[in-house]
Amino acid sequence: MKNLLNLQLDMTSGSIAKKTLIFALPVLLSGWLQLLYSAMDLIVCGNFGSPYSVGAITATSSLTYLIVSLFMGFSVGANVLIAQAFGAKNKERANKIIGATYALGLVSSIILLVVGVTCSRYFLLWMGTPSDIIDLSTTYMTIYFIGIPFTILYNFGAALLRGLGDTTKPFFFLLFAGIINVGLNFLFVITFKMDVAGVATTTVISQFISAFLVTYTLFRNKKSFANLQLKNIRFYKNETLRIIMIGIPAGLQSALFSLSNVIIQSSINSFGPMAVSGAGAQSSIESFLATGVDAFAQAGVAFVGANYGAMDEKRIKVSIFYSSLYGAIFAIVAGLLCFFFAEPLLRLYISDPEAISYGVEKMNIVETTYIIYAFVCTISSAIRGLGYSFTPMVVSLLGICGVRILYIFTLFPLEMFHSMFGLYIAYPISWLAALLVHIPCLIIISKKVFAKIKKSQRNKFSSLSLNKEYQVVLRES
């Protein structure tokens, strides 16, 4: 156990195929544990709460993610920069990046706390949330945002640890917090009859525990390459600007995904509470797929960033290849399992036959085409690892958000498309549109980066040659 907790990968040497899996597996499991919080919320409320509890919770998910995702982009910027500093063996810069990341995290937390608590009901009304569930949705969303500082600090801290090659500690911290979350769910919902307020409260408690453990680890990480120090929690100009420059486009990309999902959620709301419950249950299951794909995308960001810092062209190419390959394999296997076991999986969340039919229909469309999303995710992450975060954002704006919005407001209102099937088909269409643009972008950006690496290596070689010649002249004289 001690060896696992102290495991720190050197991403600039050794087998990339093997180390990508070693890196991604704890990230995947950590993500699944986070999703377990939400899944247990739905399962416990679906079985022991009110009839509309599942719909009330799932009605908030796309909106909550939309609000939070912009600031979560800073964790992507921190991950890229800390990986590059690690690859370049620049300890002083790495410590500044950690400090600047926490400064951004604290400010972001305050902003999100105020916006989420004061505006939750207004946002839900704007989305057309059914009257049967809006009070429960408001309660859940308000309590969730009270604990948002812990969510932010955990994700920022975990991103820093992963950029330093340590993916095991965030996993074990979430495992511990997850066990507590499950136990408190049963206590608050079954014993105390708190319904959605109970599960929201357990989520806040669990996120506090995981945030504390990650932050404490970064403080105590003195024997590692870099660590968190109170004196460094400040807005260093260069490091902060770089985190923001990479983070804002990454956050906007996630926000654009969420915006299109909010629009789709509004359309789902028009089909009634059972459609909301069925689609929401499917979304919870799909989140496990998305997290698996994202784990390999995060591995791609870290390995590409570290080897870019080390100026190693070959390892950059291999890193992109394996992160994309593993992401695609995972999407195929998981998607097929969801297709064949759709109904049993949905019954873990809901029991109403009508709601299940809505969920099965969505699952059959989305999960069977998930390999397209896997390539979108891993390729865009590779581009960010190379330091280009604006390009994936623009592609997502046009290819995903733009296509979905255009579809919803043009084709979907037509009678032949105005159905749940007609709504769900917007997902694979938008993913394909984005992928067809991401691929040439990666090719063009890679060529620029590799040309820069070759130039740097030539200059370094020339400098070494001149230094050797100078030493020969000195010896001869």
Side-chain angles (χ1 to χ4, degrees):
M1 177 65 73
K2 185 176 180 181
N3 290 334
L4 285 173
L5 288 174
N6 291 319
L7 179 63
Q8 190 171 47
L9 292 175
D10 182 357
M11 295 173 285
T12 59
S13 64
S15 170
I16 293 177
K18 179 181 178 180
K19 287 189 174 183
T20 296
L21 288 173
I22 295 173
F23 183 103
L25 184 59
V27 177
L28 182 149
L29 294 176
S30 297
W32 280 358
L33 283 172
Q34 280 188 304
L35 290 172
L36 184 62
Y37 299 167
S38 299
M40 286 305 301
D41 290 350
L42 297 178
I43 292 171
V44 172
C45 275
N47 288 278
F48 303 103
S50 65
Y52 296 121
S53 294
V54 172
I57 295 171
T58 57
T60 69
S61 58
S62 58
L63 177 59
T64 300
Y65 191 74
L66 171 61
I67 298 170
V68 174
S69 57
L70 178 61
F71 292 91
M72 284 297 187
F74 294 143
S75 68
V76 177
N79 183 274
V80 171
L81 290 184
I82 199 74
Q84 290 179 355
F86 181 77
K89 307 304 178 188
N90 190 335
K91 184 174 182 177
E92 180 182 357
R93 186 161 186 258
N95 284 326
K96 288 182 178 180
I97 291 168
I98 293 173
T101 300
Y102 262 79
L104 280 170
L106 292 171
V107 172
S108 302
S109 297
I110 295 170
I111 295 171
L112 286 170
L113 175 63
V114 173
V115 172
V117 170
T118 58
C119 300
S120 293
R121 189 175 186 87
Y122 299 107
F123 291 143
L124 290 166
L125 286 169
W126 170 70
M127 285 179 62
T129 304
S131 58
D132 294 331
I133 63 176
I134 191 165
D135 289 337
L136 289 172
S137 294
T138 302
T139 298
Y140 181 85
M141 194 169 174
T142 301
I143 297 173
Y144 176 87
F145 272 98
I146 290 173
I148 201 65
F150 309 131
T151 303
I152 291 288
L153 291 179
Y154 168 77
N155 282 281
F156 279 32
L160 290 168
L161 286 175
R162 289 164 186 157
L164 292 169
D166 184 351
T167 60
T168 55
K169 289 190 184 73
F171 163 68
F172 282 110
F173 296 157
L174 274 179
L175 177 62
F176 177 65
I179 293 170
I180 293 175
N181 180 82
V182 173
L184 290 178
N185 260 334
F186 287 103
L187 177 65
F188 286 4
V189 177
I190 300 175
T191 304
F192 297 156
K193 308 296 183 183
M194 292 175 65
D195 202 13
V196 297
V199 294
T201 302
T202 64
T203 299
V204 172
I205 294 171
S206 300
Q207 290 289 18
F208 166 76
I209 293 170
S210 55
F212 171 79
L213 291 172
V214 163
T215 303
Y216 179 77
T217 297
L218 283 167
F219 268 119
R220 299 285 296 176
N221 213 24
K222 294 179 180 179
K223 293 183 180 180
S224 183
F225 176 72
N227 69 299
L228 176 63
Q229 303 172 37
L230 283 176
K231 66 179 182 180
N232 286 337
I233 301 179
R234 64 174 77 175
F235 293 107
Y236 292 99
K237 182 179 179 180
N238 293 334
E239 285 72 23
T240 303
L241 287 176
R242 284 295 295 159
I243 291 172
I244 292 173
M245 287 175 64
I246 296 174
I248 285 183
L252 283 174
Q253 179 178 336
S254 297
L256 292 170
F257 270 103
S258 303
L259 177 60
S260 60
N261 288 337
V262 166
I263 293 171
I264 291 177
Q265 181 65 49
S266 298
S267 300
I268 292 172
N269 291 345
S270 66
F271 287 90
M274 290 301 102
V276 174
S277 294
Q282 181 280 334
S283 294
S284 179
I285 296 169
E286 182 191 335
S287 296
F288 286 88
L289 273 71
T291 299
V293 168
D294 184 63
F296 294 108
Q298 287 192 45
V301 168
F303 277 81
V304 170
N307 287 292
Y308 182 31
M311 293 293 174
D312 193 327
E313 177 182 339
K314 181 179 179 181
R315 290 185 67 84
I316 291 173
K317 291 178 179 178
V318 177
S319 297
I320 295 172
F321 172 78
Y322 278 109
S323 66
S324 299
L325 176 64
Y326 291 149
I329 292 172
F330 176 86
I332 293 172
V333 174
L336 289 174
L337 287 173
C338 288
F339 176 78
F340 288 112
F341 298 98
E343 190 169 328
L345 288 171
L346 289 165
R347 287 192 180 277
L348 293 173
Y349 297 81
I350 49 180
S351 57
D352 186 90
E354 183 184 1
I356 290 174
S357 66
Y358 280 120
V360 169
E361 187 175 12
K362 186 180 179 185
M363 193 173 287
N364 289 344
I365 297 169
V366 174
E367 265 64 65
T368 55
T369 58
Y370 219 71
I371 186 174
I372 306 173
Y373 173 75
F375 281 121
V376 169
C377 193
T378 53
I379 290 175
S380 63
S381 293
I383 294 172
R384 281 196 294 271
L386 294 171
Y388 288 79
S389 194
F390 184 75
T391 300
M393 182 203 72
V394 173
V395 174
S396 295
L397 172 63
L398 300 176
I400 295 179
C401 187
V403 169
R404 288 183 187 178
I405 293 173
L406 182 65
Y407 179 87
I408 293 297
F409 289 105
T410 56
L411 295 178
F412 180 65
L414 301 177
E415 185 178 353
M416 63 182 299
F417 293 102
H418 196 75
S419 64
M420 296 298 277
F421 176 86
L423 184 60
Y424 299 148
I425 201 70
Y427 287 97
I429 291 174
S430 62
W431 293 336
L432 183 60
L435 179 61
L436 292 176
V437 182
H438 270 311
I439 292 173
C441 286
L442 175 63
I443 294 171
I444 294 169
I445 289 172
S446 297
K447 288 182 178 179
K448 289 182 179 180
V449 169
F450 296 153
K452 181 180 178 181
I453 290 174
K454 287 184 174 68
K455 182 178 179 181
S456 175
Q457 290 173 340
R458 285 197 300 269
N459 292 339
K460 183 178 180 180
F461 179 77
S462 299
S463 177
L464 288 172
S465 298
L466 288 172
N467 187 44
K468 288 180 180 179
E469 290 177 6
Y470 179 68
Q471 290 176 357
V472 170
V473 171
L474 282 178
R475 285 198 297 269
E476 290 178 350
S477 62

